[in-house]
Amino acid sequence: MFAFIIRRIIQAVVVMMVISLVGFSIKSKIGDPVRDLVGERVTPEERAQIADKMGLNDPFLIQYTRFVKQALKGDLGRSFIYNKPALEVIVRHAPATLELLIGTALIIIFVSLPLGIQSALQPRSLLSRFTMSFSTLGVSMPVFLTAILLIYLFAVNLQILPSYGRGETVDLFGNGYWKTGFLTHDGRMHLILPCLSLSSIMLPLFIRLIRSEMMEVLETEYIKYAWAKGLSPARIWMVHAFKNTLLPVITVFGVQMGITFAFTILTELVFQWQGMGFIFLEAVERSDISLLIAYLVVVAGVFVLVNTVVDIIYGFINPTIRIAGTR
Amino acid sequence: MASFIVLVIFLILAITAPWISPMNPYDSHNIDIMNSEIPPMWMEGGSPEFILGTDNMGRDMLSTMFYGLRTSIIIGIGAVSLQAFIGIVLGLSAGYMGGKTDAILMRIADIQFSFPYLMVAIFIGAVFQLLFGVGSYERLAIPLLTLIIGLSNWPMFARTIRASVMGEKNKEYVEAARVIGLPRFTIMFRHVLPNSLTSVMVIFTIQVASAIQSEAALSFLGLGMPVTRPSLGSLIRAGQEYIFSGSWWITIFPGLWLVVFVLVINLLGDWLRDVLNPKLYKG
Amino acid sequence: MTHLLEVRDLEVKFALRSGDITAIDGVSFTLNQGERLGIVGESGAGKSVTGFSIINLISKPGFISKGSIHFEGKCISDYTGSQMRKIRGNRIAMIFQDPMMTLNPVFTIGFQMIETLQAHRNISKADARAIALEKLRKVQIPSPEERLDQYPHELSGGMRQRIIIAISLLADPAIIIADEPTTALDVTIQAEIMDLLQELCETENMALILITHDLGVVSQVTEKIAVMYAGKIIEFGPTDKVVHTPVHPYTIGLIGSIPGATVPGEELRQIPGMMPTLSNIPEGCAFNPRCELCEPICTQKTPELEEKQNGILAACHMK
């Protein structure tokens, strides 16, 4: 077990090294740290001088080591469009994206569970058939198109929901870092459409997953035995079958939220949502390499961290889960 | 089966786009900016010359959609062929050789798999665009997009191939091939691979749908096909802002076009999976 | 006198796309209080379906198409779902074949015992726990307190089957239906579990329906035997008589194939051929293609179950 944890951590470190190496190569090839620092209105001579002072003419490896050292201290370069440290720009925009993900997760949980369970219990009912065919359509629908259709319907035609921005936000900790939209009515109204369109890609998948897992569980001997014990249907479905269904669903849920994160970039563009995806696109459009690389390192770091932690937790649970959970 | 027929119709439309389209949207001589934002012919202000109306640049919607479909399909199939090539070569080597090769290749696949492929594609696209500059990126868009989407989603193939090779390689006919002294390479490609082909076919179909969606997403983000040579994604992107002024058709038509196309491929994929019932890698 | 359980002319069908298939065809038997009945047959003979149909838990798409089941004088085959629920696990308990799959892996033993009691009685958790402990002691489980907080995967197969027996004892049922309770266990543990079941039935005055393919097991535990073949009871009678003087050629073959029933050194006998599938049952006596005594009448007319000799009922034209 201990060896497994060490191996897993070493792997995470190696992955981060590779990613930072890729990031740094890109940065040193197309980045322009001098401009990031002093802007474009300097003479070529001054530029050369500053470049020399910043160590931009040092060998690649020395520069890379410096990059890693600074990154470990939390310095990922300077964003010239915001004229702030790149990391700070990302951290300030992260809550907006995180709230999108939270809202999406809530919608997924509260819609896919009842629908998935319902269509497992009554696979032939009209609602189940409707759900299943709708979910095939949902998979084929690109998230940005869903977003545009939702805007067209609710914001342009019906004019009942806002179409862009985060609306009124409240500063959660009083230090300006986390401005939340969950606490105001206006903020929540602004969350609805982006979260709906984000959840539209994952919902079909979850409804199908919950349905098939639940149907599989309902066929097991222990559910039949639960009937033979004289338990009520409600208890058998909502306690026995539910918990067995949930375990595999939760693991998939984690993975899918990671994928949803990628889709936030599209959603944030459509809704002009000032989150991480939005500043990423801004960085691409205006060639803010430092911000771009900082984004790469932060996002990759979060993914690697989450995956590593999840894997290690799994390592702990797995021996029992493997024997008990999956037949 | 109906989905198969629709798919064939889509393919024919894409292949014959240059001949059946009312106009060539790539040719600026045909485009008259005065014709911009004409609604579909059945609406007020519509003209029978432009059946589905025109976009913001005065191009016939129907023609741009035919051409857009063509572009999407070229990139989609190209990218998946690349994925399949990488995936099959690596998956076969990993599965057949086992040991260290297997461990390393699968670890790489796992690691890439742990990042969402769309994220990977978007990032590679962004870097390419900065590296080449917007101008040459747009000129090279088709091969670059093929490369990006190909690179971002190969592990799926590799894992599935490996899984079926692992299942096949201990079977007697492989033993027999080894006993008569066939070289490894021959055994892998001539004997083991054909037995993995059903899985490859199913995945190929599903992946084409996903690649076309990725292409649309990249184009929508401005990292894909330029508006002058639009794919379905860039058409949707171009029309997005006009939705507020009521010119919904510029976005909605290519959008629906894309949805129906992807839906048809997905249905075909589901059908293939049910019929061929291969052992697919789960997870 | 009314019997504890009376199954009359039971017919169970499975609704398949190609049409209905009859799995059980006119099965009748009775069971008195404290009586132990063995139902014997090859797999597919309909013995498990018979067991499940008593508590109306036949797997879909099966359904009772004819006949009745009376329990304590009431016709339970007409009961609604919620009426039936009060019988299941309470008055009639069931033990399944594979203890590895019977307990829900994600709940503790205690949880699964207490919920059973609470489903049938208005009882506090603490009281239910006390009863659960008492029953665990009855099935001779070492350190029962610890078991209550353990998950099924932490216990061995034999231990789990004991726990399942304890669960079936919880509500002091009148009948226990045990469907191949030892088939999935090691041979050494099989005997222990069977002894335990027999002893419990005697001390608690419970009736037992033991469903098994193993005539040896039945002959040691039960008082009556019903031999099933292709959905029908073809021989029914007191255990010792059926075992020693069987009537039906199928039963004779079955007993002849038990190791130890023949003279040492002699070859074990085998019944030639295989039991027909349910969709493909031959005309007349279902056993006729495999029967040494087969005569023309056997392929034309289905024999009725009737008294043949010293209290044994059998369905055979030739005896």
Side-chain angles (χ1 to χ4, degrees):
Chain A
M1 194 61 225
F2 185 69
F4 168 76
I5 295 175
I6 296 291
R7 218 168 49 227
R8 205 56 198 75
I9 290 173
I10 290 175
Q11 184 191 320
V13 171
V14 169
V15 172
M16 279 320 290
M17 293 304 279
V18 171
I19 284 171
S20 64
L21 190 63
V22 171
F24 182 72
S25 316
I26 296 167
K27 193 172 179 173
S28 64
K29 178 114 176 85
I30 48 179
D32 189 351
V34 181
R35 183 194 58 177
D36 294 356
L37 194 68
V38 295
E40 277 163 353
R41 266 168 282 160
V42 272
T43 61
E45 292 79 43
E46 280 173 304
R47 286 180 63 92
Q49 225 170 9
I50 298 166
D52 212 41
K53 216 189 274 174
M54 288 173 75
L56 294 179
N57 300 323
D58 293 348
F60 182 81
L61 263 181
I62 294 181
Q63 289 195 54
Y64 171 63
T65 325
R66 199 183 301 140
F67 172 77
V68 173
K69 272 186 191 153
Q70 285 175 339
L72 288 176
K73 279 187 244 154
D75 176 8
L76 285 169
R78 233 181 138 70
S79 156
F80 86 89
I81 39 180
Y82 287 89
N83 198 19
K84 274 182 198 160
L87 187 64
E88 191 191 320
V89 176
I90 292 172
V91 170
R92 277 183 188 278
H93 286 83
T97 302
L98 199 61
E99 291 194 349
L100 272 189
L101 287 176
I102 294 171
T104 306
L106 289 177
I107 294 180
I108 291 176
I109 293 167
F110 285 110
V111 176
S112 66
L113 278 178
L115 284 182
I117 292 173
Q118 200 275 340
S119 55
L121 294 178
Q122 292 166 325
R124 283 170 194 194
S125 77
L126 216 62
L127 180 62
S128 314
R129 284 173 188 207
F130 178 75
T131 312
M132 291 320 285
S133 41
F134 194 75
S135 74
T136 313
L137 183 66
V139 172
S140 311
M141 192 100 159
V143 63
F144 50 90
L145 190 64
T146 317
I148 290 171
L149 290 179
L150 286 175
I151 289 182
Y152 184 64
L153 188 63
F154 290 102
V156 178
N157 270 1
L158 301 174
Q159 305 204 333
I160 46 172
L161 287 170
S163 65
Y164 66 89
R166 298 187 63 196
E168 196 183 319
T169 53
V170 177
D171 195 344
L172 201 57
F173 300 112
N175 56 8
Y177 273 98
W178 189 312
K179 296 206 174 75
T180 177
F182 276 111
L183 296 179
T184 65
H185 176 72
D186 189 47
R188 285 191 293 266
M189 295 304 273
H190 278 83
L191 272 162
I192 293 178
L193 288 186
C195 291
L196 264 185
S197 45
L198 264 181
S199 55
S200 71
I201 21 166
M202 293 302 158
L203 268 182
L205 196 135
F206 274 95
I207 293 173
R208 280 163 173 240
L209 179 73
I210 291 168
R211 175 176 180 267
S212 63
E213 288 290 339
M214 182 99 172
M215 285 174 93
E216 206 168 288
V217 168
L218 286 176
E219 292 295 310
T220 57
E221 283 288 293
Y222 55 81
I223 292 299
K224 198 167 185 191
Y225 186 63
W227 288 105
K229 290 201 299 186
L231 303 182
S232 69
R235 188 171 176 90
I236 291 171
W237 291 330
M238 292 309 150
V239 178
H240 279 253
F242 186 68
K243 192 165 176 190
N244 287 284
T245 303
L246 219 51
L247 286 176
V249 171
I250 287 172
T251 62
V252 177
F253 187 77
V255 176
Q256 294 303 323
M257 284 319 281
I259 296 177
T260 310
F261 176 78
F263 284 106
T264 56
I265 300 181
L266 293 156
T267 322
E268 288 181 8
L269 175 65
V270 180
F271 290 97
Q272 299 289 300
W273 192 268
Q274 296 284 333
M276 288 170 76
F278 195 78
I279 57 161
F280 169 78
L281 291 174
E282 224 175 355
V284 175
E285 206 170 311
R286 298 178 60 185
S287 313
D288 190 339
I289 310 292
S290 293
L291 186 54
L292 192 73
I293 300 307
Y295 179 85
L296 168 73
V297 172
V298 170
V299 169
V302 170
F303 268 95
V304 169
L305 184 73
V306 170
N307 279 324
T308 309
V309 171
V310 167
D311 272 8
I312 291 175
I313 293 174
Y314 244 69
F316 277 110
I317 307 174
N318 208 20
T320 59
I321 289 290
R322 197 170 36 216
I323 301 165
T326 56
R327 275 166 300 163
Chain B
M1 224 44 243
S3 64
F4 187 72
I5 295 166
V6 179
L7 182 65
V8 169
I9 295 174
F10 267 104
L11 289 177
I12 292 172
L13 286 180
I15 292 166
T16 59
W19 297 284
I20 56 168
S21 299
M23 63 182 267
N24 180 357
Y26 294 169
D27 187 352
S28 53
H29 296 301
N30 292 340
I31 302 167
D32 186 351
I33 196 73
M34 293 308 285
N35 286 339
S36 68
E37 293 187 58
I38 295 177
M41 61 180 275
W42 60 86
M43 280 173 60
E44 205 178 317
S47 135
E49 197 189 337
F50 307 108
I51 299 169
L52 294 180
T54 60
D55 69 2
N56 53 315
M57 288 154 68
R59 295 181 296 196
D60 175 44
M61 284 309 299
L62 193 64
S63 312
T64 51
M65 278 161 59
F66 285 162
Y67 273 85
L69 180 71
R70 188 181 162 89
T71 315
S72 294
I73 290 178
I74 292 172
I75 296 173
I77 291 182
V80 180
S81 306
L82 182 63
Q83 289 171 15
F85 178 73
I86 304 175
I88 288 173
V89 170
L90 295 189
L92 269 185
S93 331
Y96 195 78
M97 294 179 188
K100 274 241 163 63
T101 322
D102 182 33
I104 292 171
L105 286 177
M106 282 304 116
R107 192 40 57 86
I108 294 173
D110 278 348
I111 289 169
Q112 185 170 340
F113 222 57
S114 68
F115 299 102
Y117 70 86
L118 187 62
M119 195 86 229
V120 179
I122 290 173
F123 200 85
I124 304 179
V127 171
F128 276 8
Q129 197 181 65
L130 291 171
L131 211 59
F132 288 92
V134 177
S136 20
Y137 185 84
E138 290 193 343
R139 237 176 301 120
L140 293 170
I142 292 185
L144 282 180
L145 281 171
T146 309
L147 186 66
I148 291 166
I149 298 166
L151 286 179
S152 65
N153 211 359
W154 61 270
M156 182 76 186
F157 273 100
R159 287 178 153 198
T160 312
I161 295 289
R162 174 181 173 272
S164 53
V165 171
M166 295 298 250
E168 295 290 333
K169 82 170 181 184
N170 291 326
K171 289 197 178 153
E172 274 161 28
Y173 72 93
V174 177
E175 292 277 310
R178 204 178 300 150
V179 169
I180 60 173
L182 288 182
R184 266 186 174 186
F185 205 73
T186 316
I187 298 178
M188 268 174 8
F189 276 89
R190 301 279 296 278
H191 295 262
V192 178
L193 185 60
N195 285 288
S196 316
L197 277 184
T198 46
S199 338
V200 173
M201 256 172 76
V202 174
I203 298 184
F204 200 95
T205 321
I206 300 169
Q207 291 291 86
V208 167
S210 129
I212 286 173
Q213 280 182 313
S214 303
E215 188 279 324
L218 284 170
S219 294
F220 183 77
L221 290 175
L223 296 172
M225 297 304 294
V227 193
T228 46
R229 282 188 306 154
S231 70
L232 295 177
S234 30
L235 281 175
I236 299 170
R237 171 188 170 85
Q240 186 208 345
E241 49 193 295
Y242 295 93
I243 211 164
F244 292 102
S245 58
S247 306
W248 50 268
W249 57 89
I250 306 180
T251 287
I252 306 288
F253 282 141
L256 290 180
W257 194 237
L258 176 67
V259 172
V260 173
F261 184 51
V262 173
L263 182 68
V264 167
I265 303 177
N266 276 334
L267 287 174
L268 186 71
D270 284 354
W271 180 76
L272 276 180
R273 184 173 46 201
D274 292 345
V275 171
L276 301 175
N277 193 24
K279 292 180 217 89
L280 286 186
Y281 186 89
K282 271 192 191 174
Chain C
M1 155 199 166
T2 57
H3 301 284
L4 177 64
L5 181 77
E6 185 171 357
V7 176
R8 215 181 288 150
D9 202 23
L10 181 71
E11 186 181 85
V12 173
K13 285 188 172 170
F14 282 79
L16 300 181
R17 262 191 215 139
S18 48
D20 289 359
I21 285 186
T22 310
I24 293 184
D25 188 2
V27 161
S28 305
F29 62 87
T30 59
L31 188 71
N32 295 322
Q33 196 169 12
E35 196 173 38
R36 296 188 296 280
L37 166 74
I39 301 181
V40 190
E42 291 170 69
S43 36
K47 43 192 204 316
S48 284
V49 179
T50 308
F52 279 109
S53 57
I54 293 170
I55 55 168
N56 206 351
L57 262 192
I58 312 166
S59 315
K60 274 183 186 165
F63 61 98
I64 296 177
S65 46
K66 226 168 76 185
S68 66
I69 299 164
H70 287 261
F71 172 68
E72 291 177 328
K74 296 184 197 83
C75 180
I76 59 170
S77 50
D78 290 343
Y79 270 19
T80 61
S82 59
Q83 282 174 311
M84 201 59 220
R85 231 182 298 137
K86 293 190 185 109
I87 306 268
R88 290 182 199 138
N90 187 21
R91 303 297 301 138
I92 304 178
M94 191 136 184
I95 296 170
F96 283 22
Q97 177 168 356
D98 189 349
M100 296 299 193
M101 318 230 281
T102 309
L103 293 168
N104 193 323
V106 300
F107 297 111
T108 60
I109 305 297
F111 179 95
Q112 301 188 47
M113 295 187 82
I114 290 166
E115 67 168 0
T116 312
L117 264 170
Q118 287 186 326
H120 298 296
R121 285 185 209 161
N122 200 355
I123 191 175
S124 76
K125 243 193 182 135
D127 290 348
R129 197 181 162 91
I131 296 178
L133 271 178
E134 177 207 323
K135 303 296 180 190
L136 285 179
R137 285 200 191 91
K138 268 210 175 111
V139 296
Q140 299 150 21
I141 283 195
S143 47
E145 290 89 352
E146 282 169 40
R147 302 289 169 245
L148 283 181
D149 299 320
Q150 281 181 317
Y151 285 91
H153 65 84
E154 297 173 67
L155 304 171
S156 69
M159 199 72 94
R160 286 192 222 181
Q161 200 61 305
R162 279 174 196 269
I163 280 165
I164 288 160
I165 295 174
I167 291 178
S168 45
L169 294 180
L170 280 172
D172 302 310
I175 305 176
I176 288 186
I177 302 172
D179 183 11
E180 305 264 13
T182 57
T183 320
L185 301 176
D186 289 348
V187 187
T188 45
I189 299 164
Q190 286 186 6
E192 285 178 28
I193 296 286
M194 278 331 303
D195 289 347
L196 178 70
L197 260 181
Q198 183 178 5
E199 190 191 309
L200 285 168
C201 287
E202 277 166 6
T203 55
E204 314 278 312
N205 195 24
M206 284 183 305
L208 174 72
I209 297 178
L210 180 62
I211 297 163
T212 178
H213 63 277
D214 188 343
L215 247 176
V217 168
V218 173
S219 60
Q220 284 156 28
V221 177
T222 65
E223 294 152 348
K224 287 199 290 192
I225 285 185
V227 181
M228 288 190 73
Y229 188 82
K232 284 189 168 69
I233 293 182
I234 49 107
E235 181 149 2
F236 186 87
T239 302
D240 55 336
K241 287 185 183 152
V242 172
V243 169
H244 293 116
T245 55
V247 174
H248 198 282
Y250 176 68
T251 319
I252 296 173
L254 214 54
I255 289 166
S257 66
I258 304 174
T262 44
V263 181
E266 204 174 297
E267 232 177 88
L268 277 182
R269 265 174 295 160
Q270 240 185 338
I271 308 173
M274 279 176 21
M275 198 175 68
T277 53
L278 291 175
S279 53
N280 199 15
I281 293 174
E283 281 286 298
C285 173
F287 188 61
N288 74 58
R290 303 169 74 182
C291 187
E292 294 167 355
L293 309 175
C294 183
E295 294 285 327
I297 186 175
C298 300
T299 60
Q300 288 152 14
K301 195 165 163 270
T302 311
E304 295 295 322
L305 194 63
E306 41 194 26
E307 176 138 10
K308 297 289 180 185
Q309 57 180 40
N310 51 21
I312 294 180
L313 306 175
C316 182
H317 294 303
M318 295 299 108
K319 295 276 175 151

